[in-house]
């Protein structure tokens, strides 16, 4: 039977910083330590003090913060390493040595008996200084089980407070981990921790299997940072323990997303949208059936035992080719927009059109489309109707645009040149409505989706002879068309403004 309370040992500042390309500044480490303490982790492995003067200074700074959690330093079974931890004022020393034959023979070049002796000496030295001691048998999952048990018993007799079983190269499977932890658990009296790497994507599963067999502490990192493919992810591990297993971790889960984003910002490694618990898509729904369901009752297409509020997330209705009218209406209504059925259908059509072209439709896209559609539909009696637009560009600066439009029910055609296709098109429109004394005053364009075929949002401001100005927006993949639509929409709006 698993323990009811599972401790969370966070090694983001140590193993997490060993992620290729990641390096935290001392100030970042302080911020991370405080955030992890706020999150409620039991132990923070603040660093490897012997590795550098900077790391030692950071560990000491973190140890001096007066955090509620235990601050730990890492050390090999070497006196100098342990002394560096002691000098850093940590409460716990995590000492380790390779125990698998492959690592023992090719790295430290020691016999099994020498390794046991080194481990015992290190533990006794740590305990002699009145500190908590965790002992790790590095590469435990590739270590002979009988030998692993013998070294575990030896360090227990030497005074170790907890034994850690690392899956250092991530080769274990849940059944194997379950059996190994069970064997060690039955052989010692002190608590067992596990440290699982994610080389085959099994770090969280292996950690949970260890808990099933008696482990009472799990070593994790935020956002699954760590050597190679990383470590067991804190958020996934905690939420599975609490929501699926019904166990307690003491983690204030409402800070999970907040903490994950801090680590994302400081590490420079983006959280994948599909990352469980903390990813942007974790509580997002695009399908019309799913969206309709969660609008009525969130448990229809979400776990129920875990809500976005529990982890500091938000439920989102995502737009795309699978989107239904209920989702679009809900998003717009929440934003204070009340499109008519006609407008809503037009908005939905454009959203689906973008989705069919393989585009991600963001909330910003929707609002831009809505602004454009509601601006068009709002004026049922438009003075200006765009009928056709064609643009010719060459290998020189000058472009030529031809516009055909209807003004007050009469057809007009105009052509102008410009320094580019957008400039030429806007000038062509202005040339046809110049008699109404409206001119382009402001122009701004933003690419609001990625890629060379990005959705462009254009905002224009049009002013009349009395100084009245109206702004309008349009959003399309074609930048020239979006610019002309925005200009025409603004001119129609300005024409509708009562003249005083």
């Amino acid at each position: 039977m698993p323990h009811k309370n599972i401790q969370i040992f966070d090694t983001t500042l140590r193993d997490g910083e060993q992620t290729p390309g990641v390096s935290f500044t001392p100030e970042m480490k302080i911020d991370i330590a405080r955030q992890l303490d706020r999150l409620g982790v039991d132990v923070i492995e603040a660093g490897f003090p012997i590795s550098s003067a900077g790391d030692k200074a950071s560990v000491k700074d973190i140890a001096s913060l007066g955090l509620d959690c235990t601050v730990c330093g890492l050390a090999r079974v070497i006196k100098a390493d342990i002394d560096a931890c002691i000098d850093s004022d940590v409460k716990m020393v995590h000492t380790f040595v390779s125990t698998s034959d492959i690592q023992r023979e090719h790295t430290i070049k020691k016999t099994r008996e020498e390794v046991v002796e080194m481990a015992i000496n290190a533990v006794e030295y740590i305990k002699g200084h009145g500190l908590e001691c965790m002992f790790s048998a590095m590469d435990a999952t590739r270590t002979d089980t009988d030998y692993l048990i013998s070294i575990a018993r030896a360090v227990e007799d030497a005074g170790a407070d907890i034994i850690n079983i690392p899956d250092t190269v991530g080769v274990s499977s849940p059944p194997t981990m379950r059996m190994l932890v069970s064997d060690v658990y039955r052989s010692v009296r002190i608590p067992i921790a596990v440290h699982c790497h994610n080389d085959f994507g099994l770090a969280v599963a292996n950690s949970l299997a260890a808990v099933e067999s008696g482990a009472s502490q799990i070593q994790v990192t935020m956002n699954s940072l760590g050597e190679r493919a990383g470590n067991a992810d804190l958020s996934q591990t905690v939420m599975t323990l609490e929501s699926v297993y019904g166990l307690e971790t003491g983690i204030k889960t409402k800070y999970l997303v907040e903490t994950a984003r801090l680590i994302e910002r400081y590490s420079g490694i983006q959280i994948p949208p599909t990352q469980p618990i903390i990813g942007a898509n974790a509580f997002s729904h695009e399908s019309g059936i799913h969206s309709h369901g969660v609008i009525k009752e969130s448990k229809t297409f979400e776990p129920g035992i875990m809500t976005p509020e529990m982890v500091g997330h938000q439920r989102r209705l995502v737009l795309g080719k699978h989107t239904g009218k209920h989702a679009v209406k809900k998003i717009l209504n929440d934003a204070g927009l009340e499109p008519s059925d006609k407008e809503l259908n037009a908005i939905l059509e454009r959203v689906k059109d973008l989705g069919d072209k393989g585009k991600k439709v963001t909330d910003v896209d929707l609002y831009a489309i809505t602004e454009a559609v509601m601006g068009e539909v709002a004026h049922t009696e438009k003075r200006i109707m765009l009928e056709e637009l064609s643009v010719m560009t060459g290998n020189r600066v000058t472009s030529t645009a031809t516009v055909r439009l209807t003004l007050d029910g009469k057809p007009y055609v105009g052509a102008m040149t410009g320094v580019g296709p957008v400039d030429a098109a806007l000038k062509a429109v202005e040339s046809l409505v110049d008699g109404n004394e409206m001119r382009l005053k402001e122009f701004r364009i933003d690419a609001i989706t990625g890629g060379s075929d990005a959705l462009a949002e254009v905002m224009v401001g049009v002013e009349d002879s009395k100084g009245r100005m109206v702004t309008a927006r349009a959003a399309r993949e074609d930048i020239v068309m979006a610019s002309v639509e925005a200009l025409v929409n603004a001119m129609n709006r300005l024409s509708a403004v009562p003249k005083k």
Side-chain angles (χ1 to χ4, degrees):
M1 290 293 291
H3 295 272
K4 183 178 180 181
N5 296 286
I6 305 300
Q7 289 191 336
I8 300 301
F9 179 113
D10 184 276
T11 183
T12 303
L13 289 171
R14 199 276 300 170
D15 206 332
E17 196 184 26
Q18 291 175 208
T19 304
V22 172
S23 181
F24 299 125
T25 66
E27 294 76 19
M28 289 177 180
K29 290 182 178 182
I30 294 294
D31 287 348
I32 291 170
R34 285 182 169 144
Q35 182 64 28
L36 291 172
D37 191 51
R38 184 186 187 206
L39 184 63
V41 302
D42 295 284
V43 183
I44 291 176
E45 190 165 50
F48 194 2
I50 197 68
S51 64
S52 71
D55 212 41
K56 182 177 179 181
S58 291
V59 173
K60 189 165 187 173
D61 288 342
I62 292 170
S64 69
L65 293 175
L67 304 177
D68 292 330
C69 62
T70 297
V71 177
C72 172
L74 183 68
R76 292 167 295 182
V77 287
I78 297 172
K79 183 176 180 295
D81 285 31
I82 298 169
D83 285 339
C85 287
I86 295 170
D87 293 343
S88 301
D89 300 326
V90 296
K91 293 181 180 179
M92 173 188 282
V93 178
H94 176 194
T95 189
F96 69 96
V97 67
S98 295
T99 56
S100 68
D101 290 341
I102 189 169
Q103 286 196 0
R104 182 179 52 76
E105 293 170 2
H106 292 279
T107 59
I108 60 176
K109 301 185 185 303
K110 300 291 183 181
T111 66
R112 287 187 175 187
E113 292 73 24
E114 287 173 324
V115 167
V116 173
E117 183 180 359
M118 293 166 67
I120 291 172
N121 291 339
V123 172
E124 289 179 342
Y125 188 68
I126 293 166
K127 295 307 296 180
H129 285 80
L131 299 176
E132 291 182 58
C133 177
M134 168 183 282
F135 173 78
S136 278
M138 189 159 72
D139 206 18
T141 54
R142 292 195 296 178
T143 299
D144 175 75
T145 303
D146 290 338
Y147 177 61
L148 179 64
I149 291 173
S150 69
I151 198 169
R153 285 172 172 166
V155 295
E156 178 184 35
D157 291 340
D161 297 288
I162 185 168
I163 292 172
N164 182 43
I165 300 176
D167 185 20
T168 304
V169 292
V171 294
S172 186
S173 65
T176 302
M177 180 62 79
R178 192 178 292 112
M179 185 179 301
L180 180 62
V181 172
S182 180
D183 288 341
V184 178
Y185 180 72
R186 289 195 302 267
S187 303
V188 298
R189 299 175 300 278
I190 57 177
I192 292 175
V194 289
H195 177 105
C196 298
H197 277 266
N198 207 35
D199 296 76
F200 287 91
L202 293 171
V204 172
N206 284 332
S207 298
L208 298 171
V211 167
E212 293 174 4
S213 295
S216 57
Q217 184 183 97
I218 298 179
Q219 296 192 3
V220 294
T221 59
M222 284 304 305
N223 302 357
S224 197
L225 295 184
E227 291 274 6
R228 304 181 312 280
N231 292 50
D233 179 72
L234 185 151
S235 301
Q236 295 171 42
T237 302
V238 166
M239 291 312 299
T240 305
L241 286 172
E242 296 209 350
S243 296
V244 179
Y245 282 72
L247 305 178
E248 296 177 6
T249 65
I251 294 295
K252 301 177 183 67
T253 60
K254 64 181 179 180
Y255 298 130
L256 285 174
V257 170
E258 176 184 301
T259 307
R261 288 175 180 168
L262 175 72
I263 300 302
E264 177 184 45
R265 188 166 72 252
Y266 283 173
S267 69
I269 296 180
Q270 292 188 337
I271 300 169
T274 53
Q275 181 94 341
I277 318 298
I278 58 173
N281 291 355
F283 297 94
S284 296
H285 306 270
E286 178 183 323
S287 162
I289 295 173
H290 284 223
S291 297
H292 191 192
V294 296
I295 289 171
K296 296 292 185 181
E297 168 54 66
S298 62
K299 292 181 181 179
T300 53
F301 290 100
E302 286 180 1
I305 54 177
M306 178 181 67
T307 66
E309 293 77 18
M310 286 170 65
V311 300
H313 220 319
Q314 288 185 333
R315 181 176 295 107
R316 293 181 63 244
L317 301 177
V318 178
L319 303 168
K321 65 180 181 181
H322 304 109
T323 300
K325 186 181 294 187
H326 290 91
V328 174
K329 190 174 190 307
K330 177 72 165 56
I331 294 171
L332 294 178
N333 287 169
D334 288 346
L337 298 171
E338 300 285 345
S340 65
D341 285 343
K342 182 179 180 181
E343 292 170 334
L344 189 60
N345 288 332
I347 293 167
L348 183 61
E349 182 179 352
R350 289 199 187 181
V351 167
K352 285 182 173 291
D353 182 57
L354 286 173
D356 280 334
K357 293 174 180 175
K359 295 183 179 297
K360 175 185 177 183
V361 187
T362 68
D363 292 341
V364 176
D365 301 338
L366 175 63
Y367 299 144
I369 291 169
T370 301
E371 175 73 16
V373 170
M374 292 181 75
E376 293 169 358
V377 179
H379 304 288
T380 54
E381 296 184 4
K382 299 177 183 177
R383 296 192 63 232
I384 306 167
M385 296 286 291
L386 179 65
E387 304 293 344
E388 186 178 349
L389 168 67
S390 61
V391 179
M392 182 177 67
T393 60
N395 58 359
R396 298 180 182 275
V397 175
T398 303
S399 297
T400 302
T402 302
V403 174
R404 184 166 63 87
L405 55 78
T406 302
L407 176 62
D408 292 329
K410 297 180 181 179
Y412 293 87
V413 177
M416 293 291 289
T417 59
V419 295
V422 172
D423 183 48
L426 295 179
K427 284 180 178 177
V429 174
E430 285 186 295
S431 70
L432 297 177
V433 295
D434 187 57
N436 292 277
E437 298 183 293
M438 291 186 289
R439 62 191 181 92
L440 184 65
K441 186 72 174 178
E442 292 183 6
F443 179 87
R444 188 180 73 241
I445 184 168
D446 294 303
I448 54 178
T449 57
S452 59
D453 57 349
L455 179 69
E457 179 184 18
V458 176
M459 189 282 289
V460 300
V462 176
E463 187 179 60
D464 66 7
S465 59
K466 297 184 181 295
R468 296 175 300 178
M469 191 170 77
V470 168
T471 61
R473 290 181 173 85
R476 283 191 179 276
E477 303 144 280
D478 187 326
I479 296 174
V480 180
M481 181 60 74
S483 301
V484 172
E485 283 189 355
L487 178 61
V488 170
N489 288 341
M491 287 179 166
N492 277 322
R493 289 187 181 188
L494 189 55
S495 297
V497 175
K499 296 179 172 59
K500 295 182 181 179

